[in-house]
Amino acid sequence: MNKYDLLVHAVNCPLFWRCPTRHIVDLYRRHAGGRHLDVGPGTGSLLRRSALPTGTAVHLLDRHEAPLDMARKALPGHRVRTYRQDVLKPWEVDEASMESVAMSLVFHTLPGQGIPAKSHPVREAARVLSPGGRFFGATVVGRGQAVRVPAQARWLMDVYNRRGIFANAGDDADDLDAVLRTSFSTVRTWSRGCVVLWVAWK
């Protein structure tokens, strides 16, 4: 396990955010389709742990080359295509071409004051999904009706926001639910600790 995965998945998610990574992996196991787009794939560990069927067409989108390379190498046996671009700009992905789109642990890193200010990826996910497609993911938030933020999580969030690692000081789980409902016909959101998870169907 590399340093990033150790910090994020073995320390932060279970101990600070109070949402063990297995809950995010379960989203992939339940909802990833045969033509899947992963936005902000990190090291590819979530995709690898989800045990996608061999030969799945996996598309990866990130503004940096390093995570695209790492995620590609983590997925031997799959048909992988990469897009190096900013998630907050129009995606170079064909309309209605995907069966599923995932965006896991990304929203809280995007610039913008609150979820509505960084809602562009929600509209793009709806555009690239075929009818019946699913958009799913998870993000760390600091507020929301069902969100529970322990003191140590609040401290770490504040540190990450001051350092520019996170930009989620205004992110609210209820705002995310509302934004998803503007682009998707059916939406389910729920919280574990200070992580909000979602699945939205087109």
Side-chain angles (χ1 to χ4, degrees):
M1 183 180 291
N2 62 40
K3 291 181 179 179
Y4 173 88
D5 286 335
L6 179 65
L7 176 63
V8 172
H9 299 302
V11 178
N12 287 357
C13 280
L15 302 181
F16 287 89
W17 315 141
R18 304 295 175 88
C19 178
T21 302
R22 68 177 182 273
H23 297 293
I24 304 174
V25 172
D26 188 56
L27 290 175
Y28 285 82
R29 291 178 174 167
R30 290 175 179 269
H31 301 291
R35 296 190 311 277
H36 175 77
L37 171 64
D38 218 68
V39 179
T43 65
S45 63
L46 294 173
L47 286 161
R48 176 174 47 78
R49 290 172 60 179
S50 69
L52 296 173
T54 301
T56 297
V58 182
H59 298 243
L60 308 172
L61 189 153
D62 198 284
R63 68 182 300 178
H64 300 293
E65 190 64 37
L68 293 174
D69 286 341
M70 292 178 69
R72 183 193 300 112
K73 292 174 182 176
L75 298 168
H78 298 292
R79 293 177 289 133
V80 180
R81 178 176 177 180
T82 61
Y83 306 84
R84 185 179 179 184
Q85 61 175 114
D86 188 340
V87 66
L88 293 175
K89 294 181 179 179
W91 300 353
E92 297 171 4
V93 181
D94 291 340
E95 184 173 347
S97 62
M98 297 293 152
E99 295 177 11
S100 58
V101 176
M103 191 167 159
S104 301
L105 305 177
V106 175
F107 264 121
H108 56 252
T109 69
L110 299 178
Q113 296 299 315
I115 294 293
K118 40 190 172 181
S119 60
H120 175 75
V122 175
R123 296 188 296 274
E124 283 293 272
R127 181 184 67 80
V128 305
L129 280 169
S130 58
R134 295 141 310 219
F135 177 42
F136 62 89
T139 187
V140 180
V141 296
R143 61 185 74 173
Q145 187 173 4
V147 174
R148 301 292 176 265
V149 185
Q152 63 268 36
R154 179 68 64 191
W155 169 80
L156 187 58
M157 256 190 267
D158 289 345
V159 169
Y160 281 178
N161 274 277
R162 287 197 301 272
R163 293 182 178 178
I165 300 169
F166 278 14
N168 72 336
D171 289 5
D172 186 303
D174 302 319
D175 287 344
L176 176 59
D177 185 90
V179 165
L180 289 167
R181 291 181 188 280
T182 64
S183 295
F184 290 90
S185 60
T186 303
V187 173
R188 181 185 172 220
T189 60
W190 66 102
S191 299
R192 288 188 175 275
C194 47
V195 173
V196 58
L197 305 100
W198 76 87
V199 182
W201 289 263
K202 185 173 178 179

